[in-house]
Amino acid sequence: MAKLYGIGVGPGDTELITVKGVRAIEDSDVIVAPTGTEGGESIALNTVKEYIKPGTEVVIKHFPMGGKGKEIKVKEAYDFIEERLREGKNVSFLTIGDPFVYSTYIHLLKNMEEKNFKVETVPGITSFCSAASIVGQTIVVGDNRLTVMPATKVHEITDEKYVVIMKVYKREEEVLNALEEKGFKYVYVSRAGREGQLILEDKEEILKVRDYMSLILANRE
């Protein structure tokens, strides 16, 4: 029976994909890579290109972040994957970071499991773990808890000491103001481990960047 692999390819560094992920890619007849823009590149695909065997079918599918036509595009991608699986072909669906952290794959998995397809999920290194290693900053320590949240929830921080803010793009000022009001130190990381990587701690410099692939690590003692 054909299998769907959901593969977390890490933050975008070609050396930060797991051996298990590489083996799953090598075992696949079809590689499906997501992109957030119509006709745009796929960071996930660029990360693993060197591991794809010759003759493998490679397809980039547009997964809109929202707006008109999103459901149609998503259904087209799901139908394509289902068709290839029914043909008896192993399919790898690539996702940046980890498949279960703010990923399109979560919805795909549910859809495929409901149709009784065989699925294997391969974890990947998250962007915030990669960023912490690059910066040399502890994510969480001792008996403290770590809160990982989207930028839209930054005002809900209460007594947390260690926070990771995801999906910072276009909400940079709102996030930084909230963190400063709550007494946090922070570091902004964009394109962790990739070309164009930036590490910034100055608020004004951060507000000049506004990169989609960005996050903030914050803590207060």
Side-chain angles (χ1 to χ4, degrees):
M1 183 179 181
K3 180 187 290 188
L4 169 66
Y5 293 102
I7 304 176
V9 302
D13 184 332
T14 59
E15 295 182 332
L16 290 182
I17 180 170
T18 65
V19 173
K20 189 169 187 176
V22 171
R23 288 175 177 166
I25 289 170
E26 293 173 343
D27 188 46
S28 295
D29 305 293
V30 184
I31 304 293
V32 178
T35 180
T37 56
E38 186 75 57
E41 67 171 355
S42 169
I43 298 170
L45 178 60
N46 290 341
T47 302
V48 304
K49 274 183 176 179
E50 63 187 87
Y51 305 116
I52 299 174
K53 66 186 180 184
T56 303
E57 182 180 7
V58 179
V59 178
I60 296 177
K61 288 292 184 180
H62 180 208
F63 284 80
M65 297 297 106
K68 188 176 180 180
K70 176 181 178 180
E71 290 185 6
I72 295 174
K73 289 289 185 180
V74 170
K75 186 178 186 305
E76 287 176 357
Y78 288 5
D79 287 348
F80 173 83
I81 292 170
E82 182 177 343
E83 179 183 336
R84 292 298 185 269
L85 289 171
R86 293 196 185 282
E87 290 173 357
K89 297 178 179 179
N90 290 337
V91 179
S92 276
F93 183 85
L94 309 179
T95 179
I96 204 74
D98 182 88
F100 288 122
V101 179
Y102 295 120
S103 170
T104 302
Y105 170 74
I106 297 169
H107 307 292
L108 172 63
L109 174 64
K110 181 179 178 181
N111 182 277
M112 293 302 160
E113 285 184 333
E114 287 175 350
K115 296 180 179 179
N116 295 316
F117 287 111
K118 189 176 182 181
V119 181
E120 181 176 346
T121 303
V122 181
I125 295 172
T126 64
S127 57
F128 57 87
C129 285
S130 175
S133 295
I134 292 166
V135 174
Q137 179 168 310
T138 299
I139 296 180
V140 67
V141 67
D143 292 329
N144 293 289
R145 66 175 181 266
L146 172 67
T147 300
V148 180
M149 63 171 61
T152 53
K153 301 294 184 180
V154 69
H155 295 289
E156 297 180 12
I157 294 173
T158 54
D159 61 343
E160 293 91 343
K161 289 186 178 181
Y162 295 89
V163 179
V164 173
I165 311 294
M166 308 288 288
K167 303 183 181 182
V168 173
Y169 181 56
K170 292 186 178 180
R171 292 183 176 272
E172 293 88 349
E173 188 167 11
E174 174 188 352
V175 170
L176 297 182
N177 287 343
L179 291 175
E180 289 178 355
E181 288 171 7
K182 297 173 185 293
F184 279 90
K185 295 184 297 181
Y186 55 78
V187 58
Y188 170 96
V189 183
S190 67
R191 306 194 178 207
R194 297 171 51 220
E195 183 178 351
Q197 172 184 292
L198 283 176
I199 301 169
L200 301 171
E201 295 182 27
D202 181 77
K203 183 177 182 179
E204 296 307 315
E205 291 300 315
I206 294 171
L207 295 180
K208 291 176 184 176
V209 178
R210 299 186 184 275
D211 191 297
Y212 178 74
M213 299 297 293
S214 60
L215 58 83
I216 290 175
L217 306 175
N219 65 76
R220 58 183 172 184
E221 299 301 329

